[in-house]
């Protein structure tokens, strides 16, 4: 636990020079950007006549995001959908087509705002929320920040082009996140479209659509001609019934920042997806290291609204600073509490940045101990190897290592060097990457450095398996 002199001074509402002076009296030369430890900070604060209360993470974050959300009546909530797929397969066109087909003539002048997400009404009468940034980059960036936003992935595959590299990546990301998929076979208006081929190609990636005997729904659409968009919405509605999506609207709101920007006229504007509870004007909110009081809520139709319930995207005005996409937001009872939480987080964030800069990175073992999931502990891995045979052998050997309590979870294994896309995938799931007789591309290793993702290299399968085994047994030791 350390704090900079400046930060300590800020928290006490004292001047940094006064803190420096006290340190000098004790014989330490310091400047305001220097770090001091918690004990020293306490002594200084007391010397200046302040009462010290040390807060731990559990004090500060307690009560925020109690994910169980068991109390109170649960109501059905709309599904939140992200569209993924290969470039040019029609993700943006599909998002636009669905939105414009749903604009009721005369509604708010038919103006559609791009706020990062929008909601439409399905033919079944239920609502569906679409995240307006297609592709798996945004999806994974959010997941890497711990945000779980998407309930259903719509995988767009162009019927004239078939399964392509980013289609495969999207499948991996959806699977790693354990989010169910619906396949939208797009561009069926094209004379050279071959929807059947798409279905059979998908089999190779373990996506089995219903007509192939599987459980994944598939829908043929044309974004260009707006064909069968209702069919797609119905499939989404059906999938969301299966998922039994519920939330309690009668509690303080929690959600995730989807987009945020500093607007010249309006100040900090954040698009928030409310996930639980109801957000209202006047609420005091925290998101990441920022807080504020909700001054104005603006819907995706550009209308001012008084409140926003579960699965509703809404623009929030009133933040003091600009939060980041992926930050979770919560309503708190007072501004003092909001300050406490955000200054604590700002401090944690700086400490992490310092730790990262000084080269402390999560080791395989630390990552293991962090891999706490309810029940069986899973150790997520991405494996790249030089030939298919060795990749398969490694996968098989690692899967055999598991038992009821702990096991490896192979998010992805493939042949070739370690790419940036492998790193994004690993980052989103907090996984380690293993390279067997392969190296990381330059961009990939710098991306891994930035993200604090560990890449381990091996050329003997036995060594690799042995290391993972050791790391796993670390997970079994009871925590002290
Ligand atoms: P994205 O990169 O996946 O977002 O793809 P876009 O939505 O930008 O679409 C790529 C191209 O495919 C554009 O030129 C679209 O006009 C075209 N396109 C999208 N959907 C359809 C469709 O259903 N039929 C036809 N013929 N073209 C389409």
């Amino acid at each position: 636990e350390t704090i900079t002199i400046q930060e300590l001074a800020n928290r006490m509402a004292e001047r940094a020079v006064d803190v420096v002076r006290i340190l000098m009296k004790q014989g330490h030369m310091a400047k305001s950007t220097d770090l001091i430890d918690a004990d020293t900070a306490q002594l200084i604060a007391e010397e200046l006549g302040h009462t010290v209360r040390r807060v731990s993470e559990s004090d500060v974050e307690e009560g925020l995001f109690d994910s169980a959300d068991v109390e109170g009546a649960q109501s059905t909530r709309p599904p939140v959908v992200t569209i993924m797929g290969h470039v040019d397969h029609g993700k943006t066109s599909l998002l636009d087509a669905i939105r414009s087909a749903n604009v009721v003539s005369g509604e708010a002048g038919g103006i559609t705002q791009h706020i990062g997400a929008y909601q439409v009404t399905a033919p079944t009468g239920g609502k569906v929320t679409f995240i307006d940034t297609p592709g798996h980059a945004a999806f994974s960036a959010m997941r890497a920040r711990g945000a779980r936003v998407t309930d259903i992935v719509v995988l767009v595959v162009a019927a004239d082009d078939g399964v392509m590299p980013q289609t495969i990546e999207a499948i991996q990301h959806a699977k790693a996140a354990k989010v169910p998929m619906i396949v939208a076979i797009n561009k069926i208006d094209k004379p050279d479209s071959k929807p059947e081929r798409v279905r059979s190609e998908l089999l190779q990636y373990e996506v089995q659509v219903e007509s192939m005997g599987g459980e994944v729904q598939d829908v043929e659409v044309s974004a260009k001609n707006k064909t069968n968009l209702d069919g797609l919405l119905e499939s989404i509605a059906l999938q969301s019934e299966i998922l039994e999506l519920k939330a309690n609207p009668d509690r303080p709101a929690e959600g995730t920042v989807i987009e945020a920007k500093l607007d010249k006229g309006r100040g900090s504007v954040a698009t928030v997806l409310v996930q639980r509870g109801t957000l209202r004007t006047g609420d005091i909110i925290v998101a990441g290291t920022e807080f504020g009081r909700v001054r104005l809520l603006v819907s995706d139709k550009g209308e001012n609204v008084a409140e926003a319930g579960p699965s509703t995207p809404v623009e929030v005005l009133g933040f003091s600073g600009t939060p980041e996409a992926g930050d979770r937001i919560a309503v708190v009872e007072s501004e003092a509490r909001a300050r406490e939480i955000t200054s604590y987080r700002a401090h944690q964030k700086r400490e992490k940045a310092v730790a990262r800069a000084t080269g402390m990175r999560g080791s395989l073992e630390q990552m293991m101990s962090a891999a706490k999931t309810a029940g069986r502990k899973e150790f997520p891995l991405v494996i790249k190897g030089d030939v298919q045979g060795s990749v398969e052998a490694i996968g098989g050997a690692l899967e055999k290592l598991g038992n009821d309590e702990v096991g490896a979870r192979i998010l992805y294994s493939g042949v070739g060097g370690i790419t940036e896309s492998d790193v994004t995938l690993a980052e989103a799931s907090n996984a380690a990457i293993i390279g067997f007789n392969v190296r990381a591309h330059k961009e990939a290793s710098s991306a891994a450095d930035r993200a604090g993702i560990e890449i381990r290299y091996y050329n003997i399968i036995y060594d690799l398996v042995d290391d993972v085994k050791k790391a796993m047994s670390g997970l079994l030791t009871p925590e002290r």
Side-chain angles (χ1 to χ4, degrees), residues 381-385 391 394-395 398 410 412-415 432-434 436:
L381 290 169
V382 172
I383 297 167
K384 294 301 283 283
V391 170
I394 292 164
L398 291 181
I410 298 165
Y412 173 65
S413 60
V415 174
I433 302 176
I434 287 180
F436 186 78

Side-chain angles (χ1 to χ4, degrees), residues 114-422:
H114 283 262
I115 67 167
Y118 67 82
Q119 208 170 51
V120 297
T121 308
T124 47
K127 290 193 158 28
V128 178
T129 302
F130 285 91
I131 301 291
D132 212 359
T133 322
H136 55 259
F139 177 80
S140 288
M142 294 267 228
R143 274 212 325 122
R145 313 210 51 221
R148 214 195 129 88
V149 169
T150 304
D151 300 305
I152 297 168
V153 164
V154 168
L155 179 71
V156 178
V157 189
D160 60 336
D161 204 20
V163 171
M164 297 301 277
Q166 286 160 15
T167 316
I168 302 166
E169 285 178 21
I171 294 170
Q172 288 160 7
H173 282 271
K175 286 197 168 175
K178 297 187 178 156
V179 174
M181 250 180 303
I182 294 173
V183 178
I185 303 176
N186 190 31
K187 308 200 187 184
I188 50 155
D189 58 283
K190 285 200 155 185
D192 55 345
S193 83
K194 296 189 190 69
E196 264 323 301
R197 201 189 75 190
V198 173
R199 292 187 186 92
S200 64
E201 281 176 353
L202 284 170
L203 285 177
Q204 284 177 42
Y205 305 96
E206 287 158 49
V207 178
Q208 213 171 359
V209 300
E210 283 169 337
S211 63
M212 293 289 197
E215 284 175 356
V216 177
Q217 297 188 71
D218 64 297
V219 194
E220 292 184 14
V221 296
S222 161
K224 187 178 166 208
N225 296 348
K226 298 196 168 61
T227 311
N228 204 20
L229 302 182
D230 278 352
L232 176 58
L233 289 173
E234 274 163 27
S235 290
I236 292 169
L238 181 64
Q239 182 68 53
S240 87
E241 263 175 51
I242 297 169
L243 294 172
E244 295 187 62
L245 303 169
K246 297 241 190 308
N248 174 7
D250 303 315
R251 50 163 287 162
E254 284 175 15
T256 300
V257 175
I258 305 289
E259 258 182 38
K261 57 172 190 248
L262 186 61
D263 187 296
K264 257 185 249 144
R266 303 192 295 166
S268 285
V269 181
T271 296
V272 169
L273 177 77
V274 178
Q275 292 172 290
R276 276 193 280 275
T278 300
L279 185 64
R280 298 192 169 83
T281 47
D283 282 347
I284 298 164
I285 46 175
V286 294
T289 54
E290 304 299 335
F291 70 97
R293 186 186 286 269
V294 180
R295 192 154 47 83
L296 209 59
L297 294 172
V298 185
S299 78
D300 57 344
K301 317 264 185 324
E303 294 162 331
N304 292 358
V305 291
E307 55 177 47
S311 296
T312 311
V314 69
E315 275 191 326
V316 177
L317 277 71
F319 273 108
S320 51
T322 311
E324 288 172 41
D327 278 344
R328 303 235 276 160
I329 118 151
V331 170
V332 295
E333 67 279 5
S334 68
E335 206 166 298
R337 178 98 171 100
R339 275 183 206 282
E340 179 186 33
I341 295 167
T342 49
S343 73
Y344 177 78
R345 286 181 182 166
H347 172 66
Q348 295 290 91
K349 194 169 159 183
R350 270 194 303 274
E351 282 213 325
K352 272 195 198 136
V354 170
R356 199 166 280 175
T358 50
M360 269 166 50
R361 282 206 330 212
S363 70
L364 202 57
E365 286 73 17
Q366 279 167 345
M367 208 175 276
M368 284 291 283
S369 60
K372 276 185 265 160
T373 47
R376 190 172 186 260
K377 288 172 182 169
E378 285 184 333
F379 185 25
L381 290 169
V382 172
I383 297 167
K384 294 301 283 283
D386 55 342
V387 289
Q388 191 59 33
S390 53
V391 170
E392 275 167 19
I394 292 164
L398 291 181
E399 250 144 36
K400 265 193 249 138
L401 283 181
N403 58 23
D404 290 348
E405 277 185 72
V406 57
R409 176 160 172 245
I410 298 165
L411 294 177
Y412 173 65
S413 60
V415 174
I418 296 159
T419 64
E420 245 182 309
S421 159
D422 296 327

